[in-house]
Structure formats: C-alpha cells, structure tokens
Amino acid sequence: MESWPWPSGGAWLLVAARALLQLLRADLRLGCPLLAALVLLAALDWLCQRLLPPLAALVVLAATGWIVLSRLARPQRLPVATRAVLITGCDSGFGNATAKKLDTMGFTVLATVLDLNSPGALELRACCSSRLKLLQMDLTKPADISRVLEFTKVHTASTGLWGLVNNAGQNIFVADAELCPVATFRTCMEVNFFGALEMTKGLLPLLRRSSGRIVTVSSPAGDMPFPCLAAYGTSKAALTLLMGNFSCELLPWGVKVSIIQPACFKTESVKDVHRWEERKQQLLATLPGELLQAYGEDYIEHLNRQFLHSLSQALPDLSPVVDAITDALLAAQPRRRYYPGHGLGLIYFIHYYLPEGLRQRFLQSFFISPSVPRALQAGQPGLTSAQDIAQDQGPRPDPSPTAQ
C-alpha cells in the first residue's frame, strides 16, 4: 500500500520555527490559565519524546503550543487616535460605563441618553472630557433619531465615525406570553429592534466610509426561551438575526459586526426592585378578568418573587461587558460574538446539546420556575368558557388602551 508523502526535515523545521517565533511574540498575561497551559505543554513534550521521531515531536509541540497560547494572548489592538464612537442608552448600565471608559482612552464619544438631566447623564457630564457629547434620544421617536443622525454626520465630518454601539434596550413585564399585553411586544420591538435598525441604517454610510465597527448588545434570551421573557427575548432574537445579516453583507466594505451576549449583571435597571414591583402592579391592574381568574394573582406574585431572586444573583462588576465592547471596537480581528459573564458556556452547551425536556427544566431551575396556575390547581372548578368567568366576576371595565 502506497503511503502519503511526508514533508522533509527542512519543511518540518520551517513550520516549527515559524510557530515558535509567533509564540515568542505573543503578548501573554501571567496567571493560572498560562501556568496550566505550560504544564500541559510540558506533559505533551514528555509524551512526544517517547512516541514520535524528534522532528515530528518538535512540530506537534510547536503547533499545539501555538494553538493553546494564541488563545491566551492579548489580541492585537488598533490605536485609538481620533476615532469617534456613538453609544446609545448611556443613562446607566453598560452604556454609561462604556462611555466613561472610551472617553478615558481618548475616543470622541457621542453618548445618547433618554434624559439629559438623569443621574447618569449628569455623571457623564461631570467626570468625562469635553470630547464626550451628550445627545438626548428616545428610540421610539423618529424625530429624535433623525436629529441624532444629523448631528453625528456634522460632528464627525472631519474625523469620520469609527463605531456604533447599539446598547439601548428595554424590558417591561416579566410574565407568561399570554399575560403580557400585545403593546408590550410592540414596545420592546420598537426599542430593541427597530431603534437599533434605524440607527444602524442611518449611520452605515459613515461606517462604510471608515470600514468601521458595529457592536450590538443583545441577550442570551434571544437565543433560548427564558421563561417569562417572551416580549424581550423575541425582540433580542430579531436583533441578533439582523446583526448576523449585517455581518455577512458588510464584509465587502470592511465593516466588522460584533454581538455581545452578556450574562445577568447588576445594572441600575436590575437593581431597581421598586420599578419591578410597580410594573407587576400595573400588569395586575390591566389584566383581563378571564386571565386573572385562570392564572390567579398568586401565580404572578410567584413569578415576580422568582425573578427578583434571580436578579439578586446578578454579577456586580460590569467590566467584562465593557471590555468586550472595547475589544469589538479596537481588536484587529474582533469576534463575531462575545459572551461576557460566568456560566454562559454551560447554559449554551445545555441549550445546544441536551434534549429539549432537559433544556426547559434547566432554564426553569436556573431562572424562573413557574407555579401551577389557579385553574389547574387541585380542587379548583374547571373553566368552561369566557362567558362563565364573565358571569362569575360581574361587569369589569375595559383595560387601558395602553395595555393592549
């Protein structure tokens, strides 16, 4: 049987030399991952010396070292220079923290806020340089979007626009999809999807000219069905798919698109327990009688308690998300997806590789485990029709139009 041609000794040495040279040039940080990699390479060296010819052992060791250590090396960064970046949703959270960091690094930052007098906006005005410009914008108002787009075009005429960070987002109610008013789905789509779409399309002429970056903060809730986040998750799923399309379509222009899928972090909206309590009361006040009778107030109270408990486990340090956004803006070869935060690898592994029943059970135990609706509890009379419920409850005023 004829064997495959094997490279000569000179070719092996050339491959090994190139790999070793790249390893020597790598910018590595001393820490546990690097020490573990060195131990692994030492063990591999011991095995190769006993099982392979010297040249083959050298090549295997060099190739493995290049693969392992290149994963630990700091990515090559582009200089900040005079780059300008627009960030949406800087009143608080990721947007606020990112605006402060990029300003410190020397970027020209255009930071949009919902309210120019909000605590976050006042903080940015006080602690950042004159390069940072605050712009008021509500993503549900076309006039605000048009004004920001026009200001950006004028303000970056000399330097160009390097990056857009689609960070602004909204989640309103935490409840089953049937319990959420249709207006909630529309509002989430307006802010989380259509707002980002309008900003991206409006700034693409500038980004194509600079071969710049689009960085979008999405959510794992757009990749998998987290309980009680249907409106929010649906809008984030649409946003993630849209950015995937942009990523492919803008390759010829040199525009790189990255999606940030963060774990749960303690942003201001997450920490605001009073706001979530108000929204729960708003949901109960506007819920049609039929649904309130079928599910029961206790069911919604239970969802809210479980949700607040999961938020109490949120990560307090926002820097992993800020670092991911910064890397997506400045890395010579940014990733298409970033997953900052602990535990996301396990969640995605379970979602993609385990049976559906186990996936659902895991998400419920990890996030929200719904209780049994009132109509399905033992000893409760069966619900025969909406008319029966209406007769049982008597007249009930129509819900507010804003809750439809």
Side-chain angles (χ1 to χ4, degrees):
M1 181 177 177
E2 186 178 355
S3 61
W4 289 96
W6 197 250
S8 66
W12 278 122
L13 288 174
L14 182 60
V15 172
R18 287 178 176 174
L20 289 172
L21 183 60
Q22 291 188 24
L23 290 180
L24 292 174
R25 291 176 176 173
D27 184 10
L28 297 169
R29 289 164 284 189
L30 183 62
C32 292
L34 177 58
L35 294 176
L38 294 176
V39 171
L40 172 65
L41 291 175
L44 181 63
D45 178 47
W46 183 83
L47 285 173
C48 288
Q49 288 183 18
R50 283 153 180 78
L51 301 177
L52 297 175
L55 287 178
L58 176 62
V59 172
V60 170
L61 185 64
T64 305
W66 178 78
I67 293 171
V68 172
L69 296 183
S70 64
R71 301 287 293 181
L72 301 175
R74 295 179 184 178
Q76 182 184 354
R77 289 285 183 89
L78 303 174
V80 173
T82 58
R83 300 184 195 274
V85 174
L86 186 145
I87 311 171
T88 65
C90 295
D91 296 87
S92 62
F94 304 139
N96 186 276
T98 302
K100 287 188 283 190
K101 177 170 182 178
L102 295 186
D103 177 74
T104 303
M105 295 174 66
F107 278 92
T108 297
V109 178
L110 307 180
T112 75
V113 294
L114 194 60
D115 181 1
L116 289 172
N117 294 314
S118 67
L122 296 176
E123 180 188 8
L124 290 176
R125 190 178 287 119
C127 72
C128 293
S129 71
S130 59
R131 292 188 307 274
L132 185 140
K133 306 297 180 185
L134 283 174
L135 307 172
Q136 190 280 327
M137 183 177 69
D138 182 341
L139 281 174
T140 65
K141 296 180 179 179
D144 285 7
I145 295 175
S146 298
R147 177 168 38 81
V148 168
L149 293 177
E150 188 59 34
F151 179 91
T152 304
K153 292 171 185 176
V154 172
H155 193 75
T156 61
S158 58
T159 62
L161 179 69
W162 172 251
L164 165 65
V165 180
N166 290 308
N167 168 73
Q170 185 177 39
N171 183 25
I172 302 174
F173 291 129
V174 177
D176 293 22
E178 187 181 15
L179 300 177
C180 289
V182 173
T184 301
F185 286 82
R186 291 198 177 102
T187 302
C188 284
M189 289 296 292
E190 279 293 330
V191 176
N192 301 343
F193 176 75
F194 286 109
L197 173 62
E198 286 196 60
M199 291 299 298
T200 304
K201 285 175 65 67
L203 295 176
L204 267 180
L206 301 179
L207 294 169
R208 284 191 283 103
R209 197 173 305 148
S210 65
S211 296
R213 304 292 169 85
I214 300 171
V215 184
T216 300
V217 180
S218 188
S219 169
D223 286 335
M224 57 193 81
F226 276 78
C228 304
L229 292 182
Y232 177 76
T234 301
S235 64
K236 289 296 188 178
L239 178 64
T240 300
L241 184 59
L242 172 69
M243 291 301 152
N245 287 340
F246 276 135
S247 179
C248 296
E249 295 165 359
L250 295 175
L251 274 178
W253 299 93
V255 177
K256 294 182 171 62
V257 181
S258 297
I259 301 170
I260 315 294
Q261 304 279 58
C264 186
F265 286 83
K266 279 189 179 177
T267 60
E268 280 73 6
S269 62
V270 167
K271 294 185 289 187
D272 193 351
V273 176
H274 179 68
R275 186 188 69 159
W276 293 113
E277 180 66 25
E278 283 184 341
R279 290 185 174 179
K280 180 200 69 179
Q281 295 298 337
Q282 180 186 354
L283 177 65
L284 287 169
T286 58
L287 203 61
E290 177 185 353
L291 289 178
L292 187 60
Q293 177 71 10
Y295 283 87
E297 187 172 336
D298 290 344
Y299 181 87
I300 298 173
E301 293 281 359
H302 171 80
L303 296 182
N304 190 65
R305 284 195 304 271
Q306 292 256 305
F307 177 67
L308 292 179
H309 174 72
S310 69
L311 294 187
S312 69
Q313 311 299 315
L315 304 172
D317 181 14
L318 307 186
S319 61
V321 180
V322 176
D323 291 344
I325 294 172
T326 305
D327 188 76
L329 288 170
L330 285 179
Q333 295 297 329
R335 305 177 196 169
R336 291 198 175 185
R337 285 200 178 202
Y338 292 81
Y339 300 95
H342 303 305
L344 284 181
L346 175 62
I347 293 174
Y348 275 92
F349 175 83
I350 291 174
H351 176 68
Y352 285 121
Y353 298 108
L354 294 189
E356 183 176 358
L358 290 178
R359 297 200 303 261
Q360 292 177 351
R361 220 170 303 162
F362 173 79
L363 284 177
Q364 289 179 352
S365 62
F366 172 78
F367 187 58
I368 293 179
S369 179
S371 62
V372 179
R374 175 190 294 170
L376 300 179
Q377 293 174 7
Q380 292 293 329
L383 297 179
T384 57
S385 67
Q387 288 80 3
D388 293 339
I389 298 168
Q391 291 173 5
D392 183 57
Q393 286 215 320
R396 181 181 177 91
D398 291 332
S400 167
T402 59
Q404 296 305 304

